[in-house]
Amino acid sequence: MTKFVVEEDFWGLFPNARIGVVVCHNINNFIIDEDKYKEMILISEKQALKYLNNEIFSSNEVIKVWREAFQKFKTKKGARSSIEALLKRVHKGNHLGTINPLVDIYNSISLKYGLPCGGEDIDTFVGNIRLTKAVGNESFVTLGAEENSPPYEGEVIYKDDEGAICRCWNWREAVRTMLTENTRNAFLCIELVDESRLAEFESALKELSEAVQANLGGICEISILDINNKEVLIR
């Protein structure tokens, strides 16, 4: 059995955070209709414009709240939250390309709700997956890189027994665990640091689960982890 555990050192930094998890089993992630996902992303890019009302990009609340969160732990210079990266592309008028159905679906949900979304292939995990502070010696190789780039000591990361899975909370993921067309069992997550957006967070989780099941089949289960509910069985 494999668990996802949010450890105490994370809650020490973010006691009011919520980590939403959608565990998907027996899905079909092959690209069958690429145009459908292009349209899905285009619609979500238009919806995301509502989060960019302030002309100063960094002053928009969705960006601001995550920049403040990243100031609470050691990060790689220039590292930003995944939602800021997506919104920056929208802000500049650069369309997102399609990657594979799971990634396209969670990117569209991320943009629509202004929340960081991510995902990994459950079958690649070694031991339990944890959201925690890094020791600093965890192996990490991201897409397009050849060299190991371990996190800083104290950096917030997702990790398993093999190494880091995602650095700087939701900034960049390891190639080892990334979602591919061959993924059949997926761990998807949505992260919340702004308590005032709990209703939107819950709606995003529900829509994410429903979109995966409607488009890729399989069965999805939703869990929400908080300081009083710190782990969930994922396999």
Side-chain angles (χ1 to χ4, degrees):
M1 293 190 294
T2 302
K3 294 190 295 185
F4 170 50
V5 182
V6 184
E7 297 194 333
E8 293 295 339
D9 53 9
F10 172 86
W11 298 118
L13 291 175
F14 302 103
N16 300 314
R18 303 286 194 284
I19 308 297
V21 174
V22 180
V23 175
C24 311
H25 290 295
N26 300 316
I27 57 174
N28 179 358
N29 198 37
F30 285 117
I31 301 169
I32 297 172
D33 184 357
E34 187 174 347
D35 288 341
K36 175 171 68 174
Y37 296 102
K38 284 182 180 178
E39 181 65 19
M40 183 184 294
I41 290 171
L42 282 172
I43 291 170
S44 67
E45 287 175 343
K46 293 175 183 176
Q47 292 169 323
L49 292 173
K50 66 185 177 184
Y51 300 112
L52 300 175
N53 293 322
N54 196 311
E55 290 184 7
I56 302 173
F57 181 72
S58 60
S59 296
N60 287 287
E61 191 59 30
V62 168
I63 308 302
K64 189 177 176 182
V65 71
W66 279 100
R67 288 203 180 184
E68 290 171 354
F70 272 41
Q71 290 173 3
K72 295 183 178 181
F73 58 91
K74 180 74 172 178
T75 63
K76 186 174 176 64
K77 186 177 180 180
R80 302 297 189 196
S81 67
S82 65
I83 185 57
E84 176 170 341
L86 291 182
L87 288 174
K88 191 169 186 177
R89 294 189 65 166
V90 171
H91 183 65
K92 291 184 174 182
N94 298 326
H95 295 299
L96 274 69
T98 58
I99 298 174
N100 63 59
L102 273 173
V103 176
D104 297 341
I105 289 169
Y106 80 60
N107 275 341
S108 69
I109 296 295
S110 184
L111 284 169
K112 179 178 179 179
Y113 287 94
L115 294 166
C117 299
E120 309 295 338
D121 189 321
I122 287 175
D123 296 323
T124 65
F125 294 161
V126 180
N128 294 331
I129 177 175
R130 291 168 282 155
L131 178 57
T132 186
K133 285 185 180 179
V135 175
N137 62 358
E138 293 88 350
S139 64
F140 181 84
V141 179
T142 193
L143 185 65
E146 296 181 0
E147 294 184 357
N148 179 38
S149 181
Y152 298 118
E153 181 181 356
E155 182 181 322
V156 171
I157 63 169
Y158 288 88
K159 65 185 284 187
D160 64 5
D161 293 347
E162 184 72 18
I165 289 171
C166 194
R167 283 196 57 184
C168 296
W169 195 345
N170 51 40
W171 167 61
R172 192 149 295 169
E173 69 171 350
V175 67
R176 172 175 63 89
T177 59
M178 70 181 188
L179 300 169
T180 70
E181 281 192 66
N182 295 318
T183 297
R184 294 295 168 264
N185 302 294
F187 171 88
L188 308 179
C189 64
I190 300 179
E191 298 143 336
L192 180 74
V193 291
D194 183 356
E195 290 180 272
S196 69
R197 303 191 63 210
L198 185 57
E200 292 165 85
F201 167 74
E202 292 174 348
S203 294
L205 281 169
K206 185 173 183 288
E207 187 168 335
L208 177 60
S209 176
E210 290 174 348
V212 171
Q213 289 179 115
N215 289 281
L216 309 180
I219 297 173
C220 295
E221 296 180 2
I222 298 173
S223 301
I224 296 177
L225 279 66
D226 58 28
I227 197 167
N228 297 311
N229 179 36
K230 302 172 183 175
E231 63 181 60
V232 61
L233 189 67
I234 62 174
R235 181 173 62 185

